[in-house]
Amino acid sequence: MPVGKATISIVVPCYNEEKVIAETLKRLCALANRVEDDLELIFVDDGSADQTREIVKSFDSQGVPIRLIGFSRNFGHQIAVSAGIDAAKGDAIVLIDADLQDPPEIIPEMIRKWREGYEVVYGVRTERPGESLFKVATARGFYRLLNEFSDVPIPFDTGDFRLMSKTVADVLRSMPERDRFLRGMVSWVGFKQTPLPYKRAPRFAGATKYPLAKMIRFAVDGILSFSIKPLQLSVSLGMTCAVMAVIGIVYALYLRIFTDIWVEGWTALMIAVLFLGGVQLISVGILGEYVGRIYSESKGRPLYVVDEYHGFPPP
């Protein structure tokens, strides 16, 4: 823990946030008057097609350093957050989205807990106004399902809004996997962690960047990145089908030898074929997801491509 003033890096991933980014900048810069530490704001433009990048570059920060990393195209939210962590030089790093659903005003409380000795302070959403019942229910179900599959306990009802120490950030930088699920990676790292409950706010402006299809893909990444239990589940399904097949064979032999209805059974046969075929396709699909990740990792491409750095000191 640094003695005296520390530097706090606030990483903000952005994608088509021109309707809210000025307010985000204003509220983050206002934190400079509420904390004793030095701040640096790192905005990662994830290939926005609107004026997000230009607004960040032209904003009058009143002396708070504003840095910008501009991607050459859209690489995804988790990659944008990773790029911000790579560039951050602070003694502690705060991750927060640009949509203001996670209130910047509780960052000083995160810093206070960090100074008490916690390496990670993660936000826990107690209320989620402005979100549909479907999204709230699926989010809660996802975290509970994830913990059933994951080998590492991941706190319920959390997002990427958190503070982490430089020590934790250094470990994350050494983890090069491409299918990133940062809240799970931070849990895997360990160290002393504590929750910070807060009430989530409605989105200030603009539209969500996580429609249903992206939410499902994100959930799949989270489960497959932290567990091999889906593979074990496919084995269990295969064994169950084998037992059922043996029972079916015994039943068929019984009908053939001891009854006169052995010609019948077309319906049962079709059910068995379709059931077994479905289980096989599911198992092959799960295996394919893991193989696809191996293929992606084996190519060794960089996680992201930077088109522009703005506001950073010379190397």
Side-chain angles (χ1 to χ4, degrees):
M1 189 65 59
V3 178
K5 269 192 174 184
T7 299
I8 310 297
S9 300
I10 301 179
V11 174
V12 189
C14 312
Y15 179 62
N16 293 339
E17 300 286 4
E18 65 179 3
K19 294 181 180 179
V20 67
I21 196 65
E23 180 67 17
T24 303
L25 282 156
K26 178 182 175 182
R27 287 171 63 176
L28 287 174
C29 289
L31 291 176
N33 298 321
R34 298 185 54 196
V35 299
E36 298 178 356
D37 302 295
D38 296 325
L39 299 181
E40 70 164 354
L41 307 182
I42 301 176
F43 288 80
V44 184
D45 178 41
D46 189 19
S48 296
D50 59 7
Q51 297 299 308
T52 298
R53 189 180 300 194
E54 287 69 23
I55 294 172
V56 173
K57 290 166 64 174
S58 62
F59 187 81
D60 183 6
S61 64
Q62 302 295 323
V64 179
I66 294 180
R67 329 239 190 244
L68 174 74
I69 302 173
F71 282 176
S72 60
R73 63 169 179 84
N74 178 253
F75 283 90
H77 177 270
Q78 298 292 284
I79 300 298
V81 174
S82 299
I85 294 173
D86 289 345
K89 303 298 182 184
D91 301 294
I93 300 171
V94 177
L95 311 180
I96 185 171
D97 288 339
D99 56 16
L100 295 178
Q101 287 188 279
D102 302 321
E105 288 72 21
I106 70 171
I107 291 177
E109 178 65 14
M110 288 182 166
I111 297 174
R112 184 185 69 79
K113 286 183 173 292
W114 169 63
R115 287 194 169 276
E116 290 176 0
Y118 292 101
E119 299 282 356
V120 176
V121 183
Y122 56 87
V124 176
R125 303 157 178 171
T126 57
E127 297 181 43
R128 304 176 67 146
E131 296 184 2
S132 66
L133 290 176
F134 174 77
K135 185 169 185 179
V136 172
T138 52
R140 288 178 178 174
F142 161 67
Y143 282 106
R144 283 145 185 83
L145 178 64
L146 178 61
N147 273 279
E148 287 295 324
F149 279 97
S150 177
D151 301 322
V152 179
I154 298 174
F156 291 162
D157 304 319
T158 62
D160 290 322
F161 183 37
R162 64 191 61 220
L163 177 147
M164 65 183 73
S165 69
K166 188 177 187 299
T167 301
V168 174
D170 286 340
V171 177
L172 290 179
R173 293 183 187 111
S174 70
M175 300 168 67
E177 57 255 44
R178 303 185 57 82
D179 297 296
R180 303 177 78 80
F181 184 68
L182 284 165
R183 62 201 71 170
M185 294 167 69
V186 174
S187 296
W188 181 88
V189 165
F191 295 107
K192 192 177 180 181
Q193 306 194 14
T194 186
L196 179 62
Y198 72 100
K199 178 181 177 181
R200 208 173 194 216
R203 186 178 176 87
F204 184 82
T208 178
K209 304 306 183 296
Y210 269 92
L212 181 60
K214 279 192 174 182
M215 287 173 59
I216 293 174
R217 183 71 250 178
F218 186 60
V220 171
D221 285 341
I223 292 172
L224 297 186
S225 296
F226 285 89
S227 178
I228 61 169
K229 288 184 179 179
L231 288 174
Q232 296 169 342
L233 177 62
S234 66
V235 174
S236 299
L237 286 172
M239 294 178 64
T240 301
C241 291
V243 171
M244 294 177 66
V246 171
I247 294 173
I249 291 170
V250 172
Y251 177 67
L253 289 174
Y254 172 80
L255 292 179
R256 176 66 179 84
I257 298 172
F258 298 104
T259 72
D260 295 328
I261 58 174
W262 55 271
V263 176
E264 300 179 5
W266 180 85
T267 302
L269 177 63
M270 290 302 297
I271 291 174
V273 170
L274 293 174
F275 177 72
L276 290 172
V279 170
Q280 289 173 344
L281 289 174
I282 292 172
S283 300
V284 171
I286 293 172
L287 183 60
E289 285 286 342
Y290 283 99
V291 172
R293 280 161 169 71
I294 295 172
Y295 170 68
S296 180
E297 296 287 349
S298 68
K299 289 186 288 188
R301 294 176 182 173
L303 287 177
Y304 52 86
V305 178
V306 176
D307 175 52
E308 175 184 15
Y309 287 101
H310 177 81
F312 285 88

